[in-house]
Amino acid sequence: MLGAGRSPASGAAARFATIKNPMLRFSTAGESHGEALMAWISGLPAGLTIDFAFMDRELWRRQQGYGRGGRMKIERDSAHVIAGIRAGQTIGSPIALRLENRDWKNWQQAMSVTEPPGEAARPVASPRPGHADLAGAIKFHLPEARYVLERASARETAARVALGALAKMLLRELDIEVLGHVIAVGGARLPDSTPVTWEGLRALAAKDEVLLGALDPTAEAAMKAEVDRALRTGDSVGGIFEIRARGLPPGLGSYINWDERLDAELVRAMVSIQAVKAAEIGGGVWAATAFGSEVQDPIHYDPGPHRFQRPSNHAGGLEGGMTNGEEVVVRGYLKPISTLRRPLASVAFAGREPVKAAYERSDVCVVPAAAVVGEAMMALTLARAVLAKCGGDSLYELRRNYQAYWQQVREF
Ligand code: EPS
């Protein structure tokens, strides 16, 4: 019975039950042509060594890819740490980062925090179909779409990639790896027979020249031809990226409540990326029209390594909203960018007369960049799931808890 005569051990158990669920929280601030982007993350354990060069390398990767516009020639993204890191290690405090917008010098008057922009205003007078312009202007009661696009812009994803690099550093300490690649650009697609290996994904991430981020050069050439076609015709193209994670134990996430399902968290994370309109776990889209006997991954048991095994991974490493120990595989489907050099019909904010949608400098294809953002969002989501399962205010404690859980899994 609890209460009178409670032993020291039961007291410890009672205290444990009230300990907060450590929650990795993060957010960003910043306008595309404002002074800087800011990123904030809280919940990373203390004692994590920060690889600053890796963070900047991830930011560089996000800036690459054939089909990007003139802006990427201006920016050299790099994360400047403002808080939360001491002598190259996390100390448990929230981490704040600042990423300079080099283009800001050309927008100081238009985007001034204090002064009216006057002649320099650069209003976006007619909303672009597919962009946040119209709904955003209505929602925030704004006279034109400059105010909207500045924050809706995918420039914001640079801040997410910096945070994702921190999450990757944490996962790396636990031997969890996250990498992605491009499956399709426009109508050009990686053949289904292309082997996707970790060596191949690592080599792709290590490249110093990025074309379209595909594992197969012939498919990549066909993807480039799709971008060239869009460049020629004043159009834009979308595509599909795939993110994989390996090294995860079974049992991250949960089937117990709808909002603890890790598959749902991952889909949300992917669809939160600008222009991503669908996400898929494993062979999810195909599975909807196949028979159950083809879709489910049979279960074997190998007494040697004492391990459950699957000959296939159509589930994409997630069953019942939990990791099942196989590789996690998620795909993001990007619609073509909404800013078109050959604009579609729209309506002027002022006067409501029919006009063409506004055009300003833009990218034509961002699928490889979106894949890097997808990696960041996957890493952040998985880091949160690991911390929710194993906790730990320090890396020392997290590692101890995580290893103990792995031990439990092996002994099952
Ligand atoms: C974007 C428009 C372009 C893109 C931008 C996203 O910027 P700008 O208007 O300055 O030419 O290059 O993406 C980035 C700046 C970035 O870093 O990814 C938009 O409207 O969404």
Side-chain angles (χ1 to χ4, degrees), residues 9 12 32 93 99 104 134 164 167 174 193 217 227 241 243 248 255 270 285 297 362 397:
S32 180
S93 321
L99 286 81
W104 156 242
L134 181 57
L174 308 175
S193 57
V227 180
F241 62 79
I243 314 296
L248 298 153
Y255 60 91
M270 294 304 145
V285 172
D297 306 306
S362 178
E397 185 187 1

Side-chain angles (χ1 to χ4, degrees), residues 33 62 68 71-72 103 131 153-155 360-361 363:
H33 304 101
R62 192 203 69 93
R68 301 223 65 184
R71 178 74 183 273
M72 288 305 102
D103 205 15
H131 212 284
S153 164
R155 174 88 192 124
E360 63 178 43
R361 178 186 65 186
D363 304 311

Side-chain angles (χ1 to χ4, degrees), residues 124 126-142 144-154 274-275 277 335-339 346 349:
V124 175
S126 52
R128 290 160 293 173
H131 212 284
D133 295 350
L134 181 57
I138 295 169
K139 174 179 170 68
F140 289 98
H141 198 59
L142 297 165
E144 46 93 5
R146 167 64 56 203
Y147 300 86
V148 177
L149 84 85
E150 284 293 333
R151 180 63 189 158
S153 164
Q274 288 82 340
K277 296 296 277 185
K335 70 172 179 172
I337 290 224
S338 50
T339 307
S346 183
F349 281 111

Side-chain angles (χ1 to χ4, degrees), residues 71-201:
R71 178 74 183 273
M72 288 305 102
K73 294 191 178 69
I74 301 172
E75 302 299 340
R76 300 266 182 291
D77 290 338
S78 175
H80 174 70
V81 178
I82 292 172
I85 294 172
R86 184 170 187 223
Q89 288 202 331
T90 56
I91 54 174
S93 321
I95 294 170
L97 306 172
R98 182 184 192 277
L99 286 81
E100 184 193 354
N101 280 328
R102 286 166 66 128
D103 205 15
W104 156 242
K105 66 177 184 306
N106 305 314
W107 289 78
Q108 287 191 43
Q109 202 182 334
M111 293 296 294
S112 169
V113 171
T114 51
E115 305 304 319
E119 290 292 288
R122 295 161 92 154
V124 175
S126 52
R128 290 160 293 173
H131 212 284
D133 295 350
L134 181 57
I138 295 169
K139 174 179 170 68
F140 289 98
H141 198 59
L142 297 165
E144 46 93 5
R146 167 64 56 203
Y147 300 86
V148 177
L149 84 85
E150 284 293 333
R151 180 63 189 158
S153 164
R155 174 88 192 124
E156 180 262 345
T157 59
R160 292 203 238 175
V161 167
L163 297 177
L166 297 173
K168 279 188 176 183
M169 287 171 214
L170 179 73
L171 295 175
R172 205 154 62 183
E173 294 287 343
L174 308 175
D175 293 324
I176 299 167
E177 198 173 4
V178 178
L179 282 173
H181 65 121
V182 170
I183 298 273
V185 170
R189 208 181 160 105
L190 195 73
D192 286 344
S193 57
T194 310
V196 182
T197 65
W198 284 88
E199 292 67 34
L201 292 175

Side-chain angles (χ1 to χ4, degrees), residues 132-349:
D133 295 350
L134 181 57
I138 295 169
K139 174 179 170 68
F140 289 98
H141 198 59
L142 297 165
E144 46 93 5
R146 167 64 56 203
Y147 300 86
V148 177
L149 84 85
E150 284 293 333
R151 180 63 189 158
S153 164
R155 174 88 192 124
E156 180 262 345
T157 59
R160 292 203 238 175
V161 167
L163 297 177
L166 297 173
K168 279 188 176 183
M169 287 171 214
L170 179 73
L171 295 175
R172 205 154 62 183
E173 294 287 343
L174 308 175
D175 293 324
I176 299 167
E177 198 173 4
V178 178
L179 282 173
H181 65 121
V182 170
I183 298 273
V185 170
R189 208 181 160 105
L190 195 73
D192 286 344
S193 57
T194 310
V196 182
T197 65
W198 284 88
E199 292 67 34
L201 292 175
R202 281 192 211 113
L204 206 56
K207 274 189 172 179
D208 284 332
E209 267 179 50
V210 179
L211 189 59
L212 285 151
L215 284 167
D216 176 74
T218 311
E220 199 168 46
M223 292 174 186
K224 178 176 179 294
E226 290 288 86
V227 180
D228 284 331
R229 194 146 65 113
L231 279 164
R232 265 198 317 276
T233 55
D235 219 317
S236 60
V237 276
I240 309 168
F241 62 79
E242 180 179 89
I243 314 296
R244 296 187 174 219
R246 76 162 185 185
L248 298 153
L252 300 181
S254 183
Y255 60 91
I256 294 296
N257 288 300
W258 69 268
D259 54 356
E260 293 170 51
R261 289 181 172 263
L262 185 57
D263 47 5
E265 284 297 299
L266 286 165
V267 167
R268 178 184 184 206
M270 294 304 145
V271 179
S272 77
I273 300 167
Q274 288 82 340
V276 173
K277 296 296 277 185
E280 178 185 18
I281 308 276
V285 172
W286 156 80
T289 54
F291 284 108
S293 55
E294 302 169 281
V295 169
Q296 318 307 339
D297 306 306
I299 302 170
H300 302 304
Y301 185 71
D302 187 340
H306 195 67
R307 194 171 127 63
F308 294 96
Q309 285 177 340
R310 315 289 184 117
S312 58
N313 184 21
H314 300 137
L318 289 146
E319 289 174 307
M322 296 168 293
T323 52
N324 65 3
E326 302 298 316
E327 275 182 16
V328 168
V329 184
V330 181
R331 290 180 175 188
Y333 291 72
L334 233 81
K335 70 172 179 172
I337 290 224
S338 50
T339 307
L340 300 177
R341 201 151 39 77
R342 199 159 41 85
L344 299 175
S346 183
V347 173
F349 281 111

